[in-house]
Amino acid sequence: MAGSKFAYVRNFELPDPLLPGTFMILRIDGHAFHRLSEEHNFAKPNDERALQLMDHAARDVMTEFKDIVLAFGESDEYSFLFRKSSTLYNRREAKILTTVTSLFTSSYVFNWSKYLSDTPLKYCPSFDGRIVLYPSTTVVRDYFSWRQADTHINNLYNTLFWALVLKGGQTTTQAHAVLRGTVSSQKHEMLFSRFGINYNELAARFRKGSVLVREEVSTETEGVDGLEATPLPVSEEVSEVVSSGAPRKASKKKVRVRTTIELCHCDIIGDEFWNARPNILAD
């Protein structure tokens, strides 16, 4: 950029680097999504189409930013975990925050019609975001445990609340009054005794949220006579004789590792998920 006498104004820009050697978690939240869900007639207590749209936007973010190894979503929020060693945009907070949040928002709007084709978008949705740094793997796991526990608590409440309103004929004020002071076991009992709903049989997507994880997939490759190897499925075998009938020279097999982004609705509070994927919290 060419210099000028006005360039001094750049001196007012303050650096905002994030502390190195720490885990970054960027959480995106929908702005005024209660109104958005009302204006667009989202199904209660959960609209699977809207949740799938959130998953799509989160996947687009992970596809663009390879340093994100895990994402967790519920309702109108998504949390993204960056690998500890990430140097994305030199760890400039404003740059990371604004770019990820804007990409998520634009993907949400762009793909709206794919999931809610019968519901025209009436106005522009928006999301806010924040980045929080966490010093250890223990705290990172506790963060995601907190978000999944929150998913369960909110969904259990909302499932019973909307059952009271939509099936029980109560007003929203009456439903809130009925639920005030109740504990989890009481909500389970009320759902089953009044409405025949076994909460534990509801879709895992609603009870556990969405987990997007970058999984490593290994494939074998084989090269002959110095030619570039062609990727092959691990289970696929290659003939040892070429078309001319001449013996084929010994080939060298290589294992190539690629990553895919997998969506699951599973428990991330216990050890099983993390023990099976040690790369998530590796440096």
Side-chain angles (χ1 to χ4, degrees):
M1 182 182 296
S4 72
K5 68 177 183 179
F6 307 113
Y8 78 92
V9 299
R10 296 189 62 186
N11 296 328
F12 292 91
E13 297 180 14
L14 298 178
D16 60 345
L18 294 164
L19 187 68
T22 55
F23 292 99
M24 290 188 287
I25 294 182
L26 192 161
R27 185 167 77 247
I28 288 173
D29 283 303
H31 174 67
F33 258 55
H34 178 75
R35 176 195 167 205
L36 183 84
S37 64
E38 292 293 336
E39 293 264 353
H40 294 88
N41 298 315
F42 282 9
K44 305 295 186 182
N46 297 290
D47 192 313
E48 187 168 10
R49 303 168 305 164
L51 295 174
Q52 289 173 341
L53 175 56
M54 290 286 293
D55 293 341
H56 189 126
R59 184 185 291 274
D60 282 348
V61 169
M62 287 189 70
T63 300
E64 178 68 22
F65 297 101
K66 310 303 181 185
D67 282 358
I68 298 175
V69 292
L70 177 71
F72 177 79
E74 60 155 324
S75 186
D76 63 341
E77 75 167 52
Y78 241 102
S79 298
F80 298 94
L81 172 65
F82 290 77
R83 64 179 76 255
K84 190 175 183 179
S85 59
S86 175
T87 57
L88 178 66
Y89 298 135
N90 294 319
R91 295 180 73 95
R92 292 160 54 196
E93 181 175 12
K95 183 78 170 182
I96 298 171
L97 183 60
T98 55
T99 306
V100 171
T101 305
S102 62
L103 175 57
F104 187 95
T105 305
S106 60
S107 176
Y108 187 90
V109 174
F110 184 77
N111 293 292
W112 174 278
S113 61
K114 294 180 181 179
Y115 296 92
L116 296 107
S117 56
D118 58 344
T119 309
L121 190 57
K122 298 179 180 180
Y123 60 88
C124 296
S126 62
F127 294 83
D128 63 65
R130 74 213 67 182
I131 295 177
V132 181
L133 301 181
Y134 295 95
S136 69
T137 58
T138 299
V139 182
V140 168
R141 282 193 53 177
D142 284 348
Y143 171 86
F144 285 102
S145 295
W146 168 52
R147 299 321 303 141
Q148 187 163 70
D150 185 75
T151 303
H152 162 68
I153 293 169
N154 288 339
N155 189 64
L156 178 58
Y157 185 98
N158 289 334
T159 300
L160 180 51
F161 174 85
W162 286 109
L164 290 169
V165 173
L166 300 177
K167 297 181 179 181
Q170 298 189 5
T171 66
T172 55
T173 300
Q174 291 171 331
H176 281 304
V178 169
L179 289 170
R180 189 174 298 116
T182 57
V183 297
S184 177
S185 59
Q186 292 173 312
K187 294 183 178 71
H188 278 274
E189 193 280 328
M190 290 171 65
L191 270 174
F192 189 77
S193 62
R194 295 195 187 187
F195 306 105
I197 298 174
N198 185 335
Y199 180 80
N200 293 322
E201 293 180 354
L202 297 180
R205 168 189 288 279
F206 305 144
R207 295 181 290 111
K208 298 181 181 295
S210 292
V211 181
L212 283 168
V213 59
R214 201 177 293 279
E215 300 274 20
E216 293 183 350
V217 179
S218 298
T219 56
E220 285 190 2
T221 61
E222 188 165 357
V224 181
D225 296 336
L227 297 178
E228 184 177 354
T230 303
L232 296 170
V234 174
S235 60
E236 186 173 343
E237 295 182 357
V238 180
S239 172
E240 293 298 326
V241 180
V242 296
S243 59
S244 63
R248 182 172 182 169
K249 292 184 179 180
S251 59
K252 296 181 180 180
K253 292 184 178 181
K254 297 180 180 180
V255 176
R256 292 184 178 178
V257 178
R258 61 185 179 87
T259 61
T260 61
I261 301 170
E262 300 295 335
L263 171 66
C264 56
H265 310 288
C266 60
D267 177 74
I268 57 174
I269 296 177
D271 294 331
E272 182 178 354
F273 174 86
W274 302 95
N275 289 343
R277 302 167 179 84
N279 59 299
I280 293 176
L281 298 177
D283 288 345

